[in-house]
Amino acid sequence: MNKLLLKRIVLLILALFALYLLAGWPDSTPLPEKPKDTLRIATLNINYGYRSAEEIENFIRQNDLDIVLIIEYSNGNFFPESLKDHYKTAIAYPAYTRGLALLHKKDIRIEASIEPSLIRTICTFPFVTASVKWKGKRFSLLGIHAPPPIPACGVQTDTVLKAFAKRLNKGVLKRNLGKGNKSESLIFLGDLNAFPFQAGVGSLKEAGLKDA
């Protein structure tokens, strides 16, 4: 192979990897003030090896989050009970990289479940389903952690996202899934491990989801 071409390929790979890292770089900028009568719903991938549980708790409080999906939750990196003065834990599954927890403010009612991955390989993770009731309104929630785009996982991130897209039509579930209800509006959130231009994200948009 031409040495100049090889050098360009290596540089391109390094540039793409740098973009991937920057996309996931934590942003500590405070969120703007929340408008009245709105819900602030967030995903936090806290990394199973992270040890500053207090920092995570402060972020949740300071940004006035109403519903928060915690990804890569373990018993050592986050303690839901420390927020029990204002938050309830709808469900908690401490399992390191596969760990999930769903918390919500006390004025919100949530029924939640942990469901097995739609596609099973070494790197696929369970996901959260929930039915939410707030101020007389109902909606369903799917919270996922897609596998990282590495060969060792044995499955492409896009494949997992497309599997979820197949279960949607016009932005809602085709049929009930866990606690998710086909008759309710749907919020789909999580760590997709994907860029907006990837095919898996495109399939979700084609299934009727809109980026909020």
Side-chain angles (χ1 to χ4, degrees), residues 120-139:
R120 299 189 183 187
T121 71
I122 190 172
C123 285
T124 49
F125 309 126
F127 62 97
V128 171
T129 70
S131 180
V132 182
K133 184 178 180 181
W134 176 68
K135 292 188 176 181
K137 300 176 182 179
R138 288 184 176 273
F139 62 89

Side-chain angles (χ1 to χ4, degrees), residues 9-82:
I9 291 173
V10 171
L11 289 173
L12 178 60
I13 292 172
L14 290 173
L16 289 172
F17 183 67
L19 284 172
Y20 175 74
L21 290 177
L22 287 172
W25 197 260
D27 185 0
S28 58
T29 305
L31 297 174
E33 185 176 349
K34 184 175 63 179
K36 187 179 179 181
D37 292 329
T38 61
L39 284 176
R40 178 165 281 172
I41 302 174
T43 298
L44 298 180
N45 186 329
I46 61 175
N47 188 314
Y48 75 94
Y50 197 64
R51 288 292 177 267
S52 184
E54 184 178 356
E55 185 177 336
I56 298 164
E57 295 157 15
N58 288 340
F59 181 87
I60 292 172
R61 292 182 188 276
Q62 291 170 2
N63 289 285
D64 196 20
L65 303 183
D66 295 293
I67 300 174
V68 56
L69 173 68
I70 304 291
I71 291 176
E72 296 200 14
Y73 158 62
S74 72
N75 283 323
N77 63 353
F78 178 65
F79 306 99
E81 62 273 14
S82 65

Side-chain angles (χ1 to χ4, degrees), residues 72-170:
E72 296 200 14
Y73 158 62
S74 72
N75 283 323
N77 63 353
F78 178 65
F79 306 99
E81 62 273 14
S82 65
L83 294 166
K84 65 181 180 181
D85 54 335
H86 288 99
Y87 292 85
K88 290 184 176 181
T89 302
I91 201 158
Y93 178 69
Y96 300 97
T97 56
R98 290 173 169 77
L100 296 164
L102 185 66
L103 281 69
H104 59 93
K105 285 187 176 177
K106 291 184 177 182
D107 64 334
I108 303 169
R109 292 180 57 187
I110 294 184
E111 294 182 2
S113 67
I114 298 287
E115 302 294 329
S117 174
L118 299 180
I119 297 175
R120 299 189 183 187
T121 71
I122 190 172
C123 285
T124 49
F125 309 126
F127 62 97
V128 171
T129 70
S131 180
V132 182
K133 184 178 180 181
W134 176 68
K135 292 188 176 181
K137 300 176 182 179
R138 288 184 176 273
F139 62 89
S140 290
L141 182 150
L142 290 186
I144 79 162
H145 184 193
I150 56 176
C153 282
V155 63
Q156 291 186 351
T157 307
D158 285 339
T159 302
V160 173
L161 298 182
K162 288 177 180 179
F164 278 99
K166 288 179 180 178
R167 285 158 174 78
L168 307 176
N169 182 44
K170 296 182 179 179

Side-chain angles (χ1 to χ4, degrees), residues 193-206:
N193 266 318
F195 290 109
F197 56 77
Q198 286 185 219
V201 176
S203 68
L204 293 171
K205 292 179 179 178
E206 289 173 3

